[in-house]
Amino acid sequence: MVRNRPAIIATGNFENNYEGYSQIIARDTNGILWLYPGIGSRHLEPRKQIGEGWNIMTALV
């Protein structure tokens, strides 16, 4: 992973209150971690900040 580059970290169903729709977790260039909740029909709700300081990470296991 290249430092200071936006990245999609993971996809899946991370919150149980979204009726099983997939969500996306992404990191921006400032290291802010965002959740993009899925609402079906290939649409996403507005993003929600779920973390910060992730710009120091080079990989996730």
Side-chain angles (χ1 to χ4, degrees):
M1 177 179 272
V2 177
R3 287 184 184 258
N4 297 324
R5 182 175 167 194
I8 294 176
I9 303 298
T11 61
N13 186 7
F14 304 106
E15 294 185 6
N16 293 326
N17 59 342
Y18 283 98
E19 300 177 7
Y21 296 121
S22 292
Q23 293 115 42
I24 297 172
I25 294 179
R27 182 197 70 202
D28 68 16
T29 57
N30 294 316
I32 306 297
L33 203 61
W34 298 99
L35 171 70
Y36 293 82
I39 56 173
S41 301
R42 298 183 299 209
H43 292 94
L44 299 171
E45 286 187 353
R47 68 185 186 177
K48 299 176 184 180
Q49 183 177 340
I50 59 172
E52 56 187 46
W54 286 82
N55 52 332
I56 63 170
M57 304 298 172
T58 58
L60 296 176
V61 177

